[in-house]
Amino acid sequence: MKGRYLSLAASGAVLCLTAVTLTGCGALGGLTGDNEVTLRVVAADYGDNPQNSSESYWKDLAAGFEKANPGIKVEVSVYSWSEVDAKVAEMVKAGKAPDIAQIGAYSDYAAADKLYSAEELLSVKTEADFLGPLADAGKVKQIQYGMPFVASTRLLFYNEKLLADAGVIGKDGKGWQPKSWADLEAAAKKLKAANVPTPFALPLGREEAQAETMMWMLAGGGGYTNNEESYSIDSAPNIKTLEFLRDKMVGQGLTGPVEPGKLDRQAAFDAFTKGEVGMLNGHPTLLKQAEAKGVKFGMVPLPTADGSDKPAMGVADWVMAFKTGHRQQSGKFLDFMYQPKNVTAFTEKYDLLPATTTGYQAKQAATGGNAPQLKPFLTALPGSRLYPVGKKSWAGVSEDIKQNIGKTVQPGGQPAKVLEGIATTARAADPR
């Protein structure tokens, strides 16, 4: 979920599959027989290793759909999050758009009139099941083109043993409730003194720099847009936020040996699961990854600059259907994909949050049972702030952030200048 929700990392391998066997990737959107249509689907990989790749989910989904819909074949190409958006862009530019794409942004394609609307694709039941805030975020000029796939919110994870050994918390490892950035800084200094390799991981590498940046901006009282939904990337609170990271976190050697601009989210997660990171911002998928490695951890909201309440960041990943001439078949597949059992199968596999009301209700019930750790993520979802995905310029702005935001926290970095450059380009692409 990349904000990626979510935007999550995976291997770089490209996996091309039909419902039963792996195949080569052919031309997109073709007919395979007199009455048989092949739907070409491009999706992101949410796994962190080959064993939990999203390939298995899509393979099972395609098999179930094909069984229920004779005459429609489904072939899915699964790419890592670091390349899937670019792959779809290349396909569209080459005139070979997939029928369906599950990626991080939709609005630029909607603005170019390349997508079917949700109303043109989905049954009334499916369309009405989306959580309201997520459905609204999928609209361009009041028409929904982006269909939320999964969602996530973010919390601050901390390694209980490392913080206890450093004297930040008691030996029981419980009950830490940092409120302000001063609390974070103090904890990171103690971790550094205890020789923790990375007191606070700050992944501003291109994998998901836009997410890490937005979390900190919101906690600093800013964000990518103002209350009128105009870009405010170069606002005073945002500048102060990045100055804090530059001077207090990076400048004091509290963010570890890897330069933040070169540190990707999954690399930070991997280091956390190895016991090398004291604190970092994480999404629900980190729960399973850390538990699998036996890491004892706690989770709290990211503290804010002054200790006052600020909204959390929410991320949704998006599904869209391109105008390839297969509107009816694509709609059938999407209705099938959004059936509660299929939504649950995916969200449970990766500990993500559902984008549908039925899925949300099921998760709420589960948080008191087999998934209690998801409760704080789920609680934060309705009031969270999402990327400005409805702006057709967002894909380009997000890429600009990925490429440049790491420069702001380097020694001698100039947050005001970098943010002004990103903001100027963003406003030019989205005049109001």
Side-chain angles (χ1 to χ4, degrees):
M1 80 189 27
K2 194 120 120 26
R4 32 259 18 323
Y5 145 132
L6 316 173
S7 312
L8 309 181
S11 69
V14 179
L15 306 164
C16 301
L17 53 138
T18 64
V20 181
T21 59
L22 296 178
T23 69
C25 294
L28 298 178
L31 294 174
T32 58
D34 290 340
N35 298 306
E36 190 174 275
V37 170
T38 296
L39 290 179
R40 310 290 175 148
V41 179
V42 173
D45 196 340
Y46 288 74
D48 64 329
N49 61 67
Q51 285 68 48
N52 71 352
S53 168
S54 302
E55 170 193 348
S56 60
Y57 167 80
W58 289 104
K59 182 177 179 179
D60 292 344
L61 186 73
F65 176 78
E66 289 185 4
K67 184 176 181 180
N69 295 272
I72 307 177
K73 297 294 183 182
V74 181
E75 293 183 2
V76 186
S77 300
V78 180
Y79 296 88
S80 74
W81 264 113
S82 62
E83 61 182 345
V84 66
D85 287 353
K87 289 292 183 181
V88 172
E90 290 172 7
M91 294 173 182
V92 173
K93 186 176 181 179
K96 298 180 179 180
D99 294 287
I100 294 169
Q102 183 268 299
I103 53 178
Y106 67 87
S107 56
D108 50 341
Y109 298 122
D113 195 31
K114 294 184 181 295
L115 303 180
Y116 294 117
S117 69
E119 186 177 6
E120 291 175 303
L121 294 160
L122 304 176
S123 68
V124 172
K125 181 179 180 181
T126 301
E127 190 178 2
D129 197 30
F130 291 127
L131 289 170
L134 301 181
D136 288 342
K139 294 178 180 179
V140 173
K141 296 182 178 179
Q142 306 305 312
I143 298 175
Q144 184 179 358
Y145 295 96
M147 291 159 278
F149 181 59
V150 289
S152 76
T153 49
R154 306 297 166 96
L155 293 173
L156 177 68
F157 284 67
Y158 62 90
N159 183 307
E160 292 179 351
K161 183 179 185 304
L162 293 181
L163 266 68
D165 289 347
V168 177
I169 53 179
K171 289 299 181 182
D172 62 359
K174 304 294 183 182
W176 190 46
Q177 293 293 331
K179 294 298 182 182
S180 70
W181 289 352
D183 295 334
L184 283 187
E185 181 187 351
K189 285 180 176 178
K190 289 185 177 181
L191 289 165
K192 182 182 180 182
N195 297 315
V196 173
T198 302
F200 197 110
L202 184 65
L204 295 177
R206 62 168 290 106
E207 181 191 319
E208 214 184 22
Q210 80 286 0
E212 185 74 16
T213 301
M214 184 172 172
M215 279 182 272
W216 284 99
M217 285 181 171
L218 289 173
Y224 289 136
T225 57
N226 58 25
N227 292 335
E228 286 74 44
E229 295 304 315
S230 297
Y231 281 120
S232 58
I233 297 168
D234 55 348
S235 68
N238 290 344
I239 293 170
K240 289 181 180 179
T241 291
L242 290 166
E243 288 175 343
F244 166 80
L245 294 176
R246 179 196 64 191
D247 299 337
K248 299 298 186 180
M249 301 301 287
V250 180
Q252 297 188 91
L254 304 180
T255 54
V258 181
E259 182 181 328
K262 296 179 180 178
L263 179 64
D264 281 342
R265 166 100 33 220
Q266 191 57 50
F269 281 11
D270 291 343
F272 185 79
T273 65
K274 294 175 183 176
E276 299 171 356
V277 172
M279 302 174 284
L280 83 170
N281 292 311
H283 46 63
T285 298
L286 184 56
L287 290 170
K288 282 191 174 180
Q289 294 178 14
E291 288 171 346
K293 295 295 180 67
V295 176
K296 301 296 183 183
F297 59 90
M299 299 179 298
V300 293
L302 176 65
T304 60
D306 58 6
S308 62
D309 290 338
K310 299 288 191 300
M313 185 189 75
V315 178
D317 296 329
W318 302 95
V319 173
M320 61 218 68
F322 286 87
K323 292 181 176 179
T324 61
H326 295 157
R327 179 183 63 82
Q328 183 180 15
Q329 295 90 344
S330 292
K332 284 185 176 182
F333 180 78
L334 291 169
D335 276 334
F336 183 82
M337 187 185 79
Y338 280 110
Q339 288 180 9
K341 65 177 182 180
N342 294 324
V343 171
T344 299
F346 194 87
T347 56
E348 287 190 351
K349 182 178 178 69
Y350 296 107
D351 271 343
L352 292 167
L353 306 182
T356 59
T357 299
T358 52
Y360 183 82
Q361 291 170 343
K363 279 289 186 186
Q364 280 187 311
T367 55
N370 63 357
Q373 288 178 308
L374 284 178
K375 188 171 183 178
F377 292 100
L378 202 63
T379 300
L381 183 60
S384 62
R385 290 281 300 274
L386 279 71
Y387 300 135
V389 290
K391 293 179 176 292
K392 67 179 182 180
S393 57
W394 171 242
V397 173
S398 176
E399 182 63 27
D400 201 358
I401 293 166
K402 290 179 182 180
Q403 290 183 8
N404 294 297
I405 205 68
K407 301 173 186 176
T408 64
V409 299
Q410 294 174 341
Q414 301 180 57
K417 183 177 179 180
V418 174
L419 291 182
E420 182 183 6
I422 296 172
T424 299
T425 303
R427 292 181 186 122
D430 189 69
R432 296 183 66 86

